[in-house]
Amino acid sequence: MSAEVLGRWVPDRPEDVATIFADAGFPWWIAGGYAIELAVGRELRAHGDLDVLVLRRDQARVREMLARWDLYVADPPGQGKLRAWRPGEVLRKPLHDIWCRRKPEAPWSVQLMLDEADGSQWVSRRDPAIRLPIDQLGRTNETGIPYLAPEVQLFYKAKSTRDKDEADFEAALPLLDAPARAWLAGAITMIAPDHPWLRRLLPISRT
């Protein structure tokens, strides 16, 4: 979705979001390119937005916490159209992308992404067969900021890779241990069995 069409972005920093969500009382994770940077421990590039992932089942709590913000949902997703997220409205699948700004005249600063859950399991919105225990979905950096585990974020980035996604893959790949590589390879295989990243994730088994 084009930021130029839908308005100006001045993304918050992860530490800003950590302050906003400090008393959330529900799980949340920095996502997108910032998640990769938190994993590798250094800045990699400039960012046009900042993504925060929360579970769909916690959306009412998110909506209440951000009650004074100006919140819009992409409806339908990916079509360049936004509409107000009304107080009390329950967002159901496939709606998952929420643009947030502190007031109507302010730039967009946070993009909320809703993901699915089944009990203690995270469930991919792209394929419900792709799952992970929620307590393995993220990591926490040295300052206490939660972020998506690199293998999970790379799974999202694998759908249609851009130059920045390839750069993020190169930066994060050395951080992935054997179980993380195996999970990511399995998840990518289910949605894109010929993806070029697979040769890098499991080179021995694919020679």
Side-chain angles (χ1 to χ4, degrees), residues 81-154:
K81 298 180 180 179
L82 298 176
R83 66 165 178 83
W85 183 14
R86 299 179 298 274
E89 178 187 6
V90 177
L91 301 179
R92 305 191 185 281
K93 294 188 290 186
L95 304 180
H96 66 273
D97 182 2
I98 303 155
W99 290 34
C100 312
R101 56 190 175 189
R102 287 169 172 79
K103 49 189 178 181
E105 62 272 21
W108 303 109
S109 56
V110 175
Q111 189 165 7
L112 286 176
M113 311 299 290
L114 302 181
D115 251 5
E116 312 308 319
D118 179 9
S120 63
Q121 294 279 312
W122 164 79
V123 180
S124 168
R125 63 176 178 269
R126 294 182 180 164
D127 186 330
I130 298 173
R131 297 178 172 228
L132 198 65
I134 292 171
D135 62 6
Q136 297 179 26
L137 190 60
R139 308 281 189 271
T140 304
N141 81 339
E142 66 278 1
T143 63
I145 300 176
Y147 60 91
L148 279 186
E151 61 269 26
V152 178
Q153 186 56 63
L154 290 175

Side-chain angles (χ1 to χ4, degrees), residues 61-80:
R61 301 168 76 180
V62 177
R63 184 68 182 78
E64 181 180 3
M65 189 182 73
L66 300 178
R68 297 189 178 187
W69 286 53
D70 196 41
L71 307 177
Y72 280 73
V73 59
D75 186 6
Q79 299 300 309

Side-chain angles (χ1 to χ4, degrees), residues 2-7:
S2 171
E4 289 77 12
V5 172
L6 297 175

